Amino acid sequence: NKNNESGGENMKTILSRLLIERSISSTVLARAIRASDSQVCHWRKCRMWVPPKYHKALAEFLGVPIEEIIDPKTNLPRFIEEV
């Protein structure tokens, strides 16, 4: 599976999982919300905070509340919590 680059049970962001589930590439998301491809790649791996100016477009494009994918206190992408 090319989406799971490291092969292990890595901490994945909810953003990354939503994109994989919906077969949406980082490039498609970036164009839709007017961000760069590299920004979206960093967000997927939680290497970078998500500037608030993208929150509304991101939530609308994915059809989820922004709080589900981004922590409003830190603006960092949320991880999938182990159940």
Side-chain angles (χ1 to χ4, degrees), residues 43-57:
W43 298 343
R44 288 182 73 161
K45 295 175 177 149
C46 199
R47 290 191 186 138
M48 185 189 231
W49 65 289
V50 182
K53 69 178 183 175
Y54 295 113
H55 290 191
K56 187 170 188 276

Side-chain angles (χ1 to χ4, degrees), residues 52-72:
K53 69 178 183 175
Y54 295 113
H55 290 191
K56 187 170 188 276
L58 193 55
E60 286 176 359
F61 183 78
L62 294 170
V64 295
I66 194 64
E67 299 78 22
E68 189 176 308
I69 49 178
I70 307 294
D71 182 328

Side-chain angles (χ1 to χ4, degrees), residues 67-82:
E67 299 78 22
E68 189 176 308
I69 49 178
I70 307 294
D71 182 328
K73 291 187 188 99
T74 62
N75 289 318
L76 287 170
R78 289 188 185 277
F79 286 108
I80 298 166
E81 296 191 27
E82 297 300 316

